[in-house]
Amino acid sequence: MLTASVACLVTWAGAASAHGSIVDPASRNYGCWQRWGSDFQNPAMAQQDPMCWQAWQADTTAMWNWNGLYRMNLGGNFQAAIPDGQLCSGGHAENGRYSAMDVPGAWKATDVRNNFTIKLWDQAGHGADYLLVYVTKPGFDPTRQAVGWNDLQLLTKTGKYAPGQYYSVNLSTSGRSGRAVVYTIWQASHMDQTFFFCSDVNFTG
């Protein structure tokens, strides 16, 4: 297991070649890093945040590299490249580093209303050709099911974003309540590099 000092070095090394993530509602690995990055060896995590606990145990670097969940050269053919049940890890991106993101369970969820906004933090200023934003369909239970393509409904496909630090997307659903996963695909503009994010939400009406 990494010591705190080594973990700090990993974090700053990653920042030098940073990419980005959905930070609100937080992606699974960004949320785990945000809540536990300064205290990742605390055994209380196992009870307080069990899905983050299993993720930290599976591969600590997935959280230190929360900004690197991407695949190269997919040519927009995402469904062919990423099998059902592996969407949250980008199809076991980075040799399976992020595979724990696919595990169903009681991930911490952000409360949102039927009209809500997502925010992407583009640390490296890659820009975006587009963002695709999906939500799981009513009846999908992320505590028991891994996300598959047929579980999703498209909320929006955006236009281009010039390189910047944050990109926001306003979204609208109707009559939703309870748990869901918001799935965001970020097609970066600097090369054919595609990022994949699962954000757990709880619709409050």
Side-chain angles (χ1 to χ4, degrees):
M1 181 172 286
L2 293 176
T3 65
S5 59
V6 173
C8 184
L9 290 174
V10 172
T11 303
W12 286 108
S17 57
H19 304 290
S21 187
I22 297 294
V23 296
D24 187 20
S27 66
R28 287 179 173 177
N29 50 319
Y30 178 79
C32 288
W33 174 79
Q34 187 179 46
R35 290 190 295 275
W36 296 101
S38 61
D39 197 21
F40 72 101
Q41 294 175 312
N42 188 339
M45 190 195 321
Q47 297 299 319
Q48 297 176 16
D49 202 348
M51 297 313 296
C52 281
W53 176 257
Q54 65 87 28
W56 281 101
Q57 303 312 300
D59 194 325
T60 304
T61 63
M63 274 62 68
W64 298 123
N65 293 278
W66 55 264
N67 49 27
L69 206 172
Y70 66 87
R71 295 279 300 277
M72 298 293 297
N73 303 316
L74 298 184
N77 198 7
F78 309 131
Q79 293 192 32
I82 300 177
D84 287 336
Q86 297 181 17
L87 276 66
C88 295
S89 68
H92 293 175
E94 298 293 296
N95 297 313
R97 171 185 288 168
Y98 300 96
S99 296
M101 304 303 115
D102 293 317
V103 178
W107 292 92
K108 294 286 188 181
T110 302
D111 287 343
V112 298
R113 300 187 68 82
N114 275 246
N115 296 315
F116 66 104
T117 300
I118 65 167
K119 181 182 288 186
L120 187 149
W121 183 11
D122 179 4
Q123 286 185 306
H126 290 325
D129 287 346
Y130 56 83
L131 302 177
L132 288 166
V133 187
Y134 301 83
V135 66
T136 50
K137 297 173 182 176
F140 178 84
D141 184 357
T143 69
R144 296 178 178 272
Q145 299 168 265
V147 181
W149 290 105
N150 288 336
D151 300 317
L152 300 176
Q153 60 186 53
L154 181 65
L155 292 179
T156 193
K157 179 179 181 178
T158 74
K160 291 178 67 72
Y161 289 82
Q165 189 173 19
Y166 290 101
Y167 315 135
S168 295
V169 185
N170 296 322
L171 301 165
S172 180
T173 62
S174 177
R176 294 299 302 265
S177 62
R179 293 289 301 261
V181 174
V182 175
Y183 188 60
T184 306
I185 298 174
W186 167 27
Q187 181 63 46
S189 295
H190 68 304
M191 62 178 66
D192 187 1
Q193 187 179 72
T194 313
F195 295 76
F196 302 91
F197 312 111
C198 281
S199 301
D200 292 272
V201 300
N202 179 53
F203 283 106
T204 61

